[in-house]
Amino acid sequence: MPPGFSGDGGGNGLSRKDFQSDQDVRWCPGCGDYAILSTVQRVLPELGVDKENVVFISGIGCSGRFPYYMDTYGMHSIHGRAPAFATGLKVSNPALDVWIVTGDGDALSIGGNHLIHALRRNIDTQILLFNNKIYGLTKGQYSPTSELGKVTKSTPYGSVDAPFNPVAVALGADASFVGRTMDRDPKHMKALMKAAHAHAGASFLEIYQNCNIFNDGAFFEFTERDTKSERALFVEDGQPLTYANGTKGLRLDGLSLEAIDLESDRWSVSDCLVYDTSDRQMAHLLGRIFWEDDLPRPFGVLYQEARPTYGDLVHQQLEAVTEKKGAGTLHDLLHSGDTWTID
Ligand SMILES: Cc1ncc(C[n+]2csc(CCOP(=O)(O)OP(=O)(O)O)c2C)c(N)n1
Ligand code: SF4
């Protein structure tokens, strides 16, 4: 067997290098995609996966080049259709560890339909959505996550489209795992990728990714040192929602979230909402934080629930029907039901 291919499910002591392909990486220097690639290549050895079982499927866009750079199986598929390929692959071979790599345009414009059905069906895959709020590959047109008023080559007078909040889209599509992380925080990205991988079902992970050529700084208020602590809140299951180095928090005011000053006499950390990752209502409340300037943007695992995967249900059904009716043959199937002979 070639090195790194053990087939024993134990990962065979692989390292980052084992997941790096011999291809030259052709993203623009400074692109956030590099940090994501490097984090994935560092995470995989820690997951104990066998290389022969790992598959990366991408759509079209700069993010679509990802499979070339991984020394695993992979496919640069059709625009927006990675979830369709992943569905077929995972259902026909449940032993495979299937990762989807997609962009905001790929996943939410042309692929919006495929994405939401993969989520509601709970296809057991990790979906990494590189959100840079722009079409990078085609040189800077607005995308479904570009903000209102965004001036681009295809919106010279400013976008009049209300943008998608990918996390809210995933929650609305009943995803069983929803998380958000950022290219500028490899430690957090790694933890979230591990959590996504450990989850049985469709794990949706939005990654804020800087496109330094066509949309530089789109997420700097959340990712850069001088504003990050005030603008980003890192959610932990079972922990109170605090940010700004513990000087601020979020409390529930009726059915709304309110930012509170924990340094004032009025509030203390016991007033903050304690996060429960399995609480769908909390996830909706937090996941909807998007427009508000006075509330911090949440990062981390925002929602997780255990429910049967699509593959499990399909295979259970196949077994139950086979037990009842027998295995059958293709010939019998083709000659069953309404058939007729054309003279
Ligand atoms: C059917 C089809 N329509 C349109 C295109 C042109 N196209 C290529 S990539 C892309 C958008 C990519 O944007 P995004 O998913 O945000 O990825 P990025 O390049 O920013 O990583 C478009 C519209 C195409 N290749 N195929
Ligand atoms: S165009 Fe943007 S997203 Fe694409 S490789 Fe260059 S910096 Fe990265």
Side-chain angles (χ1 to χ4, degrees), residues 320-333:
V321 175
T322 306
E323 204 178 301
K324 210 165 139 196
K325 296 185 148 190
T329 65
L330 189 59
H331 178 272
D332 289 347
L333 179 67

Side-chain angles (χ1 to χ4, degrees), residues 213-240:
I213 301 298
F214 296 110
N215 206 16
D216 195 25
F219 298 112
F220 276 4
E221 65 178 298
F222 309 110
T223 62
E224 300 311 287
R225 193 183 292 244
D226 48 343
T227 48
K228 184 177 175 182
S229 78
E230 286 282 334
R231 294 297 297 130
L233 186 155
F234 289 86
V235 170
E236 298 257 4
D237 192 31
Q239 296 299 317

